[in-house]
Amino acid sequence: MDEGATTTPSAGEQSRGETGVFLRKASGVYRSWSPFDGWTYNVLAMNVVVMIAFTYYSATYLFPGGSLVWAILICGAFCVLEGITYAILTATMPRSGGDYIYQSRILTGGLGSVLAFTAIVSAGAMWMAIAGWFGSTVVVAPFLVLVGGTFDIQWMSDLGEWFITTHGFFVMSLIVIAWAAIVNIWGMRPYALLQRWFFLVGAVGLGIMLVVLAFNDRASFIDSFNAFMAANFDQTGAYQNVLTVAAEQGYSPETGGGLSATLAIVPLAAFSLIYVAWGVAQGGEIKHGNSLRAQMIQMPGAEVFSAIVAAILSALLVSRIGTDFLGSIGYLYTEAPDAYPLPVAPLFGAFVGALAQNGVLLILVAIAFNAWFWMWHPNITLAASRVLLAMSFDRILPDRMGGVNKSTHTPVFAIIAFSLICVVFAYLYSYTSFWELTLATAALNILCFGVTNLAGALMPYRRPELYRDSPAANWKIGGVHVITITGFIFVAFTAWILYKVLTDAAYGINSTRSLIFMGVLYLVAIVIYVVGKLRRQKQGIDVNVVYAQIPVE
């Protein structure tokens, strides 16, 4: 729907004709975002500052000898193909609902409902709990502790230490959930404005970090890090102490290496880089949605930018800090927390701050990390609410879930309902061992993205009448549609990643508990789909008919 259009009826006001055929009407959302907003959103979704921080310290100890740089570039190359598939799909069907719409219209409604609900809504609620962990452990607590220690502000250090307690995690999660809900309910225009300013501040901060790393070497880092820890936290020889304690705890960086270790890091890089097309969930709310050029900038363009920045950052970290140190600190933090010697998590931003021996720089780095963080997780709520909205308008979910506020043009009830689900997951994540299922959440996402790429690959053959009108209809290589080529290649990449994470215990996904967790989430989605479909059948509505139609936006 274009700006200025009249708000359309909610799902509850939709009707069926005398033949019982369901008439799906427009959602009531507006095209409030520019293509640049879509590009920024996807860059923040991949988040090479916050999310990929996990990759930097985990990859080097889990798979010593592997190349972070090459793993990121390999993963990025495959995810560019993923972005091309999504760009063509979105230009052909620029509708809110993303993966759900593509899978349900090209494959089957049941498959789309189950996979999209599980990956975007259920796993999305888990992601909000993970975001609370990132907020406490990677963003807020470390910089409160470091800034407090640097400027001798005791209450700030104490507050930072409290945020990494169980209660601190939970409170941070509640703050994260509430902030995301407020930003989304406020409306897409304010969301876009906030996103632009936060991204600008974050980009400047990232640039400063890259410059600081580029103009130092490893010797200067060791000297600066030792001096910083001695002056502020009474630790002498902190750099060597990390290496010594890790060795005493059983860390052996000499083992492994080569191509196999590099490829093993790729799934960890995918933990960030597979989210190149997260913005498709609100594809119907971005201007020039049917422009293939605009979609290529928003998705493959965002991937190229993010992968290059991540590769440069990882190269600088390895060169200036050293893989032995990164691996040792990651090993101690994860595998031997009682022996972990540092006051904060192994955050590369803290290492950058230590390099300059400058409290002002540390504050700038803290601002940068917060800028990248606070406009990252609202996109989880945005995507989940649009899937709920689309499923409601297809009559699988209750009509109330499809209500769009006339003033803000946002699905307020869907946002609130999703946020309440997030609170449950946040509690479990904070007070139980639910955190062990973190990587399983990403596995649910990548399976969904792989199936969407399969749908894209098959679209020219399953929906030829639709694809003939696609702006990419004439894109062929050797007589084969480009979307078929990119789609199948990414499906193969998805299958390889799932094989790796389900057969190697290092990723923490192939445990019985993780498999049960994923199975339960799929079972919940199946029940929701079946119950919704049967309920509509009793009302005389044939839900299957809607899946043959392209939604009106």
Side-chain angles (χ1 to χ4, degrees), residues 243-523:
L243 302 179
T244 301
V245 173
E248 292 172 351
Q249 294 295 320
Y251 178 60
S252 301
E254 301 85 9
T255 59
L259 179 61
S260 60
T262 298
L263 292 177
I265 297 173
V266 170
L268 294 177
F271 184 76
S272 169
L273 296 177
I274 59 168
Y275 297 98
V276 56
W278 194 248
V280 299
Q282 68 273 15
E285 297 163 76
I286 302 176
K287 297 173 184 176
H288 311 296
N290 59 356
S291 166
L292 186 55
R293 179 178 179 275
Q295 298 297 346
M296 292 292 286
I297 292 172
Q298 290 176 61
M299 284 174 259
E303 181 67 45
V304 170
F305 173 84
S306 297
I308 290 175
V309 170
I312 293 172
L313 185 53
S314 65
L316 289 171
L317 288 173
V318 168
S319 173
R320 274 51 176 176
I321 299 175
T323 53
D324 285 355
F325 180 84
L326 287 171
S328 296
I329 201 70
Y331 178 85
L332 290 173
Y333 182 74
T334 308
E335 305 294 339
D338 291 340
Y340 184 71
L342 302 186
V344 296
L347 179 67
F348 72 85
F351 302 148
V352 174
L355 257 174
Q357 291 287 292
N358 188 324
V360 174
L361 176 65
L362 190 59
I363 292 173
L364 292 176
V365 173
I367 292 172
F369 265 77
N370 276 275
W372 280 89
F373 174 72
W374 289 105
M375 284 312 294
W376 159 49
H377 58 267
N379 67 34
I380 302 171
T381 300
L382 177 53
S385 65
R386 284 356 183 229
V387 170
L388 294 173
L389 176 74
M391 291 181 68
S392 173
F393 271 79
D394 284 351
R395 306 302 282 271
I396 294 299
L397 294 178
D399 299 336
R400 184 78 178 273
M401 205 68 73
V404 175
N405 184 275
K406 293 183 178 180
S407 299
T408 63
H409 304 288
T410 56
V412 175
F413 186 84
I415 292 169
I416 294 174
F418 174 72
S419 299
L420 293 175
I421 298 172
C422 293
V423 172
V424 175
F425 276 91
Y427 178 86
L428 293 172
Y429 202 83
S430 300
Y431 293 103
T432 72
S433 57
F434 224 61
W435 59 270
E436 296 174 355
L437 304 171
T438 296
L439 287 179
T441 309
L444 296 171
N445 293 149
I446 197 168
L447 175 59
C448 179
F449 301 159
V451 173
T452 297
N453 273 257
L454 175 63
L458 296 177
M459 181 166 62
Y461 311 101
R462 288 186 62 86
R463 296 299 301 268
E465 76 291 346
L466 173 63
Y467 196 69
R468 278 194 295 267
D469 296 328
S470 168
N474 295 323
W475 280 23
K476 296 182 179 181
I477 298 177
V480 181
H481 293 284
V482 167
I483 192 173
T484 300
I485 297 171
T486 59
F488 276 130
I489 291 175
F490 189 75
V491 167
F493 179 67
T494 300
W496 176 78
I497 286 186
L498 292 174
Y499 169 78
K500 289 287 290 182
V501 301
L502 291 175
T503 57
D504 190 337
Y507 301 100
I509 294 178
N510 64 349
S511 67
T512 301
R513 191 176 181 211
S514 289
L515 296 176
I516 291 174
F517 167 68
M518 292 187 283
V520 168
L521 292 186
Y522 282 123
L523 180 61

Side-chain angles (χ1 to χ4, degrees), residues 126-139:
M126 180 71 164
W127 263 114
M128 290 298 284
I130 296 170
W133 178 87
F134 271 109
S136 288
T137 308
V138 178
V139 179

Side-chain angles (χ1 to χ4, degrees), residues 74-379:
I74 290 169
C75 182
F78 280 101
C79 291
V80 166
L81 300 180
E82 174 196 10
I84 292 173
T85 304
Y86 271 104
I88 297 173
L89 278 169
T90 308
T92 305
M93 288 186 283
R95 302 292 186 269
S96 293
D99 295 276
Y100 166 72
I101 294 296
Y102 306 144
Q103 293 177 17
S104 64
R105 268 54 184 183
I106 299 171
L107 301 176
T108 69
L111 190 66
S113 296
V114 171
L115 290 181
F117 187 90
T118 302
I120 312 300
V121 180
S122 297
M126 180 71 164
W127 263 114
M128 290 298 284
I130 296 170
W133 178 87
F134 271 109
S136 288
T137 308
V138 178
V139 179
V140 175
F143 289 110
L144 285 174
V145 171
L146 291 173
V147 173
T150 301
F151 292 99
D152 197 23
I153 306 174
Q154 189 59 44
W155 69 264
M156 188 175 289
S157 298
D158 292 342
L159 181 60
E161 291 175 359
W162 180 81
F163 265 118
I164 56 176
T165 65
T166 300
H167 295 316
F169 285 149
F170 185 58
V171 170
M172 176 57 67
S173 297
L174 295 180
I175 294 171
V176 161
I177 293 166
W179 165 254
I182 291 168
V183 170
N184 277 277
I185 290 173
W186 197 3
M188 292 294 281
R189 287 177 179 170
Y191 189 124
L193 183 62
L194 285 171
Q195 182 176 256
R196 291 171 199 168
W197 281 106
F198 274 67
F199 177 75
L200 176 62
V201 172
V204 171
L206 176 59
I208 292 172
M209 287 188 281
L210 291 174
V211 169
V212 170
L213 286 170
F215 283 90
N216 284 275
D217 56 22
R218 187 172 304 180
S220 63
F221 171 76
I222 294 173
D223 292 340
S224 298
F225 182 72
N226 285 339
F228 180 82
M229 296 302 295
N232 299 301
F233 300 99
D234 297 322
Q235 289 191 28
T236 57
Y239 186 94
Q240 183 58 45
N241 185 49
V242 167
L243 302 179
T244 301
V245 173
E248 292 172 351
Q249 294 295 320
Y251 178 60
S252 301
E254 301 85 9
T255 59
L259 179 61
S260 60
T262 298
L263 292 177
I265 297 173
V266 170
L268 294 177
F271 184 76
S272 169
L273 296 177
I274 59 168
Y275 297 98
V276 56
W278 194 248
V280 299
Q282 68 273 15
E285 297 163 76
I286 302 176
K287 297 173 184 176
H288 311 296
N290 59 356
S291 166
L292 186 55
R293 179 178 179 275
Q295 298 297 346
M296 292 292 286
I297 292 172
Q298 290 176 61
M299 284 174 259
E303 181 67 45
V304 170
F305 173 84
S306 297
I308 290 175
V309 170
I312 293 172
L313 185 53
S314 65
L316 289 171
L317 288 173
V318 168
S319 173
R320 274 51 176 176
I321 299 175
T323 53
D324 285 355
F325 180 84
L326 287 171
S328 296
I329 201 70
Y331 178 85
L332 290 173
Y333 182 74
T334 308
E335 305 294 339
D338 291 340
Y340 184 71
L342 302 186
V344 296
L347 179 67
F348 72 85
F351 302 148
V352 174
L355 257 174
Q357 291 287 292
N358 188 324
V360 174
L361 176 65
L362 190 59
I363 292 173
L364 292 176
V365 173
I367 292 172
F369 265 77
N370 276 275
W372 280 89
F373 174 72
W374 289 105
M375 284 312 294
W376 159 49
H377 58 267
N379 67 34

